[in-house]
Amino acid sequence: MSVPLLKIGAVLSTMAMVTNWMSQTLPSLVGLNGTVSRAGASEKITLFQSPEEGWQLYTSAQAPDGKCICTAVIPAQSTCSRDGRSRELRQLMEKVQNVSQSMEVLELRTYRDLQYVRGMETLMRSLDARLRAADGSLSAKSFQELKDRMTELLPLSSVLEQYKADTRTIVRLREEVRNLSGSLAAIQEEMGAYGYEDLQQRVMALEARLHACAQKLGCGKLTGVSNPITVRAMGSRFGSWMTDTMAPSADSRVWYMDGYYKGRRVLEFRTLGDFIKGQNFIQHLLPQPWAGTGHVVYNGSLFYNKYQSNVVVKYHFRSRSVLVQRSLPGAGYNNTFPYSWGGFSDMDFMVDESGLWAVYTTNQNAGNIVVSRLDPHTLEVMRSWDTGYPKRSAGEAFMICGVLYVTNSHLAGAKVYFAYFTNTSSYEYTDVPFHNQYSHISMLDYNPRERALYTWNNGHQVLYNVTLFHVISTSGDP
């Protein structure tokens, strides 16, 4: 009897440790402490306190063709709270799965041990019955020895009952783990089939396909401008804001320049989200003040008109220095030939798919708009076109695919009224609706990287999406 007793003692000791671990450690391991509340038949599990949305939808609008246009900002992975919640949920599910697998193994071993224990219990009862029946057939000495041994085994009955109770506890814990696993799966389904990291990989893949598709899009003709998307209301009535048209897609820095003359302070925000919140920016102090609002950031440098001159300045942000400056021959300045709104807007610099441009006028051109293609390294004029359109009658202008588009006013009711094609040196009058929501546009520039118009409208920073008529080329086309 000593060997079976030793084995039963080892089993019971193991069961006690397992039961204690399961009842005390499991709830904290899988995050149940203080997180499960039951009311009637319903159950609510709160995994994350005060969650913050990772994806942010800033604005939405409707394009002229009726399609919905939305501007969404996806935060960096290191700052996305959804990423943390998804990772924590994934870790919890892995822990629960590991516990579930361990319990399955434990349950199998417990089942075998339980069969042995029940056999021992039956054996003890049979032995007790035989002793009672054999009271007169055994010698006094033998009977006393068996009776003493049975007396030693009697405490085992209560221990066996506790063993069976512990077994039932494990069964209940297994059921709780199964329910918890189902609850976590439901939460994961509610949060989305994919975590942030998985979604990011899919977004990157889609973005790569989108860029590959965009490479096949030839330059298009403007056929529509969306309703305005107000990004922020900041600064005075006049100013400019922009992103680098040559920067990679991961670079979303925003530059902000308030005012239209004698200014020198340029704010550089880390991201569009930071610009919206007015945080995380650095300041650049230009060596020469600017005139107008026709500045542009191109390949890491700011191109602007030096105040009270026809000088073009190229200021490099990283080195904080002027790389080159050059006079634009014959260009009017100091409100000689501005747009209709004035504001020292004599010289307007633009960037499109084909490079850097300057829009201005001269006395020789009788105040008509001149478009010049500039070398971004030397600022030399590579070629010029006389559009024949009087600059003082223009509200604002922008370049897309080598075509200059001019609005007929800077006030409410404006529309894209005139287009000049540099590739054919020809023009046409257009009628593209342009919703001037805040009634006073003092800056309007096209960004070829984003295919959007950046606008400063009466102290509001506004975006417009554009619709272009494209000719899609195939890989076999020249």
Side-chain angles (χ1 to χ4, degrees):
M1 293 295 292
S2 59
V3 174
L5 283 174
L6 287 175
K7 182 172 182 181
I8 292 175
V11 170
L12 294 176
S13 177
T14 302
M15 282 298 302
M17 290 188 295
V18 169
T19 304
N20 179 69
W21 177 84
M22 292 295 289
S23 61
Q24 297 183 14
T25 308
L26 178 61
S28 60
L29 177 64
V30 298
L32 285 177
N33 290 343
T35 63
V36 178
S37 60
R38 291 180 174 85
S42 63
E43 176 174 301
K44 178 181 178 182
I45 297 180
T46 304
L47 293 177
F48 316 108
Q49 301 297 325
S50 302
E52 296 179 359
E53 291 301 326
W55 294 62
Q56 299 181 21
L57 181 67
Y58 288 115
T59 50
S60 62
Q62 190 174 31
D65 59 1
K67 294 181 179 179
C68 179
I69 301 172
C70 299
T71 300
V73 174
I74 305 174
Q77 181 174 343
S78 59
T79 62
C80 181
S81 59
R82 180 183 178 90
D83 182 29
R85 298 201 306 276
S86 298
R87 186 182 300 112
E88 184 177 352
L89 177 61
R90 198 161 51 245
Q91 291 173 350
L92 281 173
M93 294 189 70
E94 290 175 356
K95 289 180 180 179
V96 172
Q97 183 178 10
N98 291 338
V99 170
S100 178
Q101 292 174 351
S102 299
M103 290 190 67
E104 288 180 3
V105 175
L106 179 62
E107 184 181 14
L108 179 61
R109 294 174 56 187
T110 302
Y111 177 78
R112 291 197 298 262
D113 293 339
L114 183 60
Q115 298 303 313
Y116 178 81
V117 168
R118 287 174 175 170
M120 290 296 299
E121 186 178 24
T122 302
L123 179 62
M124 288 176 59
R125 290 175 179 173
S126 175
L127 180 60
D128 182 66
R130 289 173 60 187
L131 283 174
R132 293 179 185 277
D135 190 8
S137 61
L138 293 176
S139 66
K141 182 178 180 181
S142 299
F143 178 80
Q144 188 60 41
E145 288 177 354
L146 287 175
K147 188 174 182 180
D148 292 342
R149 181 60 58 88
M150 281 297 303
T151 302
E152 293 177 3
L153 292 176
L154 282 177
L156 186 60
S157 297
S158 60
V159 174
L160 292 176
E161 290 299 325
Q162 182 62 44
Y163 183 93
K164 289 187 289 184
D166 290 343
T167 302
R168 290 192 294 270
T169 300
I170 290 182
V171 173
R172 289 196 301 270
L173 286 174
R174 182 193 63 181
E175 187 64 24
E176 289 186 17
V177 170
R178 182 182 294 111
N179 293 338
L180 177 60
S181 179
S183 298
L184 292 176
I187 293 174
Q188 186 183 46
E189 183 177 358
E190 182 178 350
M191 290 180 63
Y194 305 98
Y196 176 78
E197 294 176 350
D198 299 325
L199 288 175
Q200 187 184 44
Q201 294 296 324
R202 287 171 170 259
V203 168
M204 291 176 63
L206 289 174
E207 186 180 41
R209 292 174 61 186
L210 178 62
H211 287 171
C213 179
Q215 296 301 319
K216 294 184 177 182
L217 293 178
C219 269
K221 179 180 179 182
L222 180 68
T223 59
V225 177
S226 76
N227 284 334
I229 302 169
T230 302
V231 175
R232 190 179 182 189
M234 176 183 180
S236 64
R237 189 177 188 184
F238 314 98
S240 58
W241 70 295
M242 64 217 80
T243 58
D244 191 340
T245 61
M246 287 289 288
S249 58
D251 185 349
S252 59
R253 288 177 295 170
V254 175
W255 286 269
Y256 169 89
M257 302 168 68
D258 191 12
Y260 65 88
Y261 75 107
K262 297 175 67 174
R264 295 176 56 195
R265 191 172 74 125
V266 182
L267 300 185
E268 176 187 313
F269 292 86
R270 186 180 61 180
T271 65
L272 178 62
D274 289 334
F275 173 69
I276 293 172
K277 297 176 182 177
Q279 63 184 20
N280 295 327
F281 65 85
I282 60 177
Q283 176 177 284
H284 300 272
L285 194 63
L286 302 177
Q288 299 102 346
W290 71 68
T293 60
H295 331 298
V296 69
V297 175
Y298 181 64
N299 199 23
S301 295
L302 173 70
F303 296 81
Y304 70 96
N305 176 208
K306 181 181 176 183
Y307 179 60
Q308 290 187 329
S309 73
N310 62 0
V311 173
V312 185
V313 180
K314 179 182 180 181
Y315 175 82
H316 189 241
F317 285 115
R318 178 172 295 180
S319 64
R320 295 179 179 265
S321 62
V322 173
L323 298 184
V324 63
Q325 53 184 338
R326 183 183 296 273
S327 294
L328 203 57
Y333 62 92
N334 206 28
N335 265 340
T336 302
F337 298 112
Y339 290 122
S340 60
W341 66 273
F344 297 89
S345 57
D346 303 78
M347 299 170 62
D348 193 0
F349 302 102
M350 308 173 183
V351 172
D352 71 350
E353 289 81 358
S354 55
L356 179 65
W357 302 83
V359 172
Y360 58 100
T361 192
T362 66
N363 287 319
Q364 290 79 5
N365 292 94
N368 292 331
I369 292 178
V370 175
V371 180
S372 291
R373 177 83 180 276
L374 301 183
D375 185 322
H377 302 290
T378 65
L379 299 181
E380 294 180 348
V381 175
M382 301 168 63
R383 185 178 175 186
S384 295
W385 293 261
D386 180 1
T387 66
Y389 193 94
K391 192 167 186 290
R392 285 185 173 272
S393 298
E396 267 288 347
F398 54 92
M399 296 286 299
I400 299 180
C401 298
V403 180
L404 177 72
Y405 294 95
V406 181
T407 65
N408 62 339
S409 174
H410 64 285
L411 303 173
K415 61 182 178 180
V416 181
Y417 179 73
F418 178 85
Y420 186 87
F421 304 89
T422 58
N423 61 336
T424 59
S425 299
S426 61
Y427 68 90
E428 70 178 23
Y429 289 95
T430 61
D431 188 11
V432 178
F434 185 86
H435 181 38
N436 186 345
Q437 183 173 1
Y438 302 107
S439 304
H440 197 287
I441 293 177
S442 59
M443 170 256 175
L444 180 59
D445 265 335
Y446 171 70
N447 188 310
R449 183 184 72 169
E450 300 166 5
R451 300 208 166 181
L453 297 175
Y454 280 62
T455 306
W456 189 293
N457 194 338
N458 209 357
H460 297 79
Q461 292 74 51
V462 181
L463 288 174
Y464 293 83
N465 291 294
V466 299
T467 302
L468 304 179
F469 178 78
H470 292 284
V471 176
I472 302 178
S473 60
T474 63
S475 57
D477 293 337

